[in-house]
C-alpha cells in the first residue's frame, strides 16, 4: 500500500503543471481574425493600400478584432553569390524594408510601429520617394539621404525614440529580421503573386484586397456583436442581419403575440 506515498509527488507535479499552464480561455486573441500583409516599401500599390485603405481598420473599431501581421519583404531576392538583398524598386527599398522591420521589433506595440510605417508609406504614396527616380545611379546617394530623412522625420513627428532603430540596422539585427520575413513569405501557400498580398486567416484575397474589411468581418467568430465598422461593409452588414435574426429567436413567443 506504499503506492499512495509514491503517487503523491506525481499528483503534486501534475497539479503544479496544471497551475502554471496558461488557460486557453484566457487568450487575448479569442475569436480575432488574422490579417497578414506582405509588401515592399516602395511599391506604389503597397503604399496606397497602407496609407489609404488599411488605415481604415485603425480609424474604426475594426482593429480590435484583428491580429495584424506586417511582413516587409515582398518580391525581394537574395544574390546567391554575395548574399546581398536585391529589391524590386532598388536599394533604397531594401533599406526602408529593413528600417520598417526594425520599427516593428523596436516599437513593439502595434500602434506606434503601424503609425510609423503609415507615415513613411504616405510619403511614398504621394510621390515623395519615387522608385523611378531612385534607380538612377547618380541619385543613389541623395536618395539614401532622402530615405533616412523621411523615416527620421516620421519618427520625430510620432515622438518615437530613434536610437533603437540605428542599433537594429547597423548591428545586422535588421538583416536577420528581414531573413525571417523572407522565410515567412516563402512559406505562403499559394505563393504570393504580387504586392501587396493580403491574407485573412491565411486565405489570400488576391486582387480584392481593397475590400479586406468585408473579409475580416465575415471571418470574425468572436461576436455578436460585431464591431460597428462591420455595419458599413457588405458582408458584415449581411452577417449583422443574420445575428439580429438569431438574437430574436428565443424571444419570439413574446414577440409573436
Ligand atoms: C517626403 O519626405 C521627404 C523627406 O522628409 C520630404 O522632403 C518630402 O516633402 C515628403 N513628401 C511628401 C509628399 O510628404
Ligand atoms: C491566427 O494565427 C495564430 C498564430 O499563428 C494561430 O494560432 C491561430 O489559430 C490563427 N487564427 C485563425 C482564426 O486562423
Ligand atoms: C451596428 O449594427 C448593430 C446590429 O444591427 C446595431 O446594434 C448597432 O447599433 C450598429 N452600430 C452602428 C454604429 O451603426
Amino acid at each position: 500500500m506504499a503506492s499512495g506515498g509514491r503517487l503523491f509527488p506525481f499528483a503534486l507535479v501534475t497539479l503544479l503543471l496544471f497551475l502554471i499552464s496558461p488557460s486557453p480561455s484566457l487568450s487575448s486573441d479569442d475569436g480575432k481574425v488574422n490579417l497578414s500583409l506582405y509588401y515592399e516599401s516602395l511599391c506604389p500599390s503597397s503604399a496606397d493600400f497602407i496609407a489609404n485603405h488599411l488605415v481604415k481598420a485603425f480609424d474604426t473599431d475594426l482593429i480590435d478584432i484583428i491580429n495584424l501581421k506586417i511582413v516587409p519583404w515582398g518580391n525581394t531576392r537574395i544574390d546567391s553569390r554575395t548574399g546581398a538583398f536585391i529589391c524590386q524598386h532598388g536599394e533604397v527599398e531594401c533599406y526602408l524594408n529593413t528600417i520598417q522591420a526594425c520599427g516593428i521589433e523596436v516599437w513593439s506595440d502595434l500602434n506606434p510601429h503601424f503609425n510609423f510605417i503609415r507615415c513613411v508609406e504616405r510619403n511614398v504614396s504621394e510621390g515623395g520617394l519615387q522608385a523611378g527616380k531612385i534607380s538612377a545611379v547618380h541619385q543613389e546617394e541623395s536618395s539614401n539621404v532622402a530615405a533616412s530623412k523621411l523615416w527620421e522625420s516620421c519618427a520625430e513627428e510620432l515622438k518615437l525614440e530613434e536610437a533603437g532603430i540605428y542599433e537594429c540596422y547597423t548591428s545586422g539585427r535588421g538583416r536577420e529580421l528581414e531573413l525571417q520575413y523572407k522565410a515567412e513569405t516563402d512559406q505562403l501557400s499559394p505563393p504570393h503573386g504580387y504586392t501587396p498580398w493580403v491574407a485573412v486567416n491565411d486565405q489570400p484575397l488576391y486582387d480584392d484586397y481593397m475590400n479586406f474589411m468585408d473579409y475580416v468581418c465575415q471571418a470574425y467568430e468572436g461576436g455578436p456583436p460585431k464591431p460597428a465598422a462591420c455595419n458599413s461593409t457588405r458582408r458584415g452588414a449581411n452577417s449583422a442581419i443574420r445575428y439580429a435574426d438569431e438574437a430574436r429567436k428565443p424571444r419570439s413567443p413574446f414577440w409573436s403575440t
Side-chain angles (χ1 to χ4, degrees), residues 10-30:
F10 292 106
L12 187 64
V13 166
T14 308
L15 179 67
L16 283 176
L17 281 177
F18 175 78
L19 287 175
I20 59 179
S21 302
S23 159
S25 64
L26 292 180
S27 158
S28 59
D29 288 347
D30 267 356

Side-chain angles (χ1 to χ4, degrees), residues 29 89 112 141 181 185 188 205:
D29 288 347
H89 303 93
E141 201 176 320
Y181 285 137
T185 306
L188 281 173
L205 305 190

Side-chain angles (χ1 to χ4, degrees), residues 123 126 128 146 149-150 153:
N123 185 291
E126 288 170 357
K149 276 213 181 101
L150 168 58
S153 73

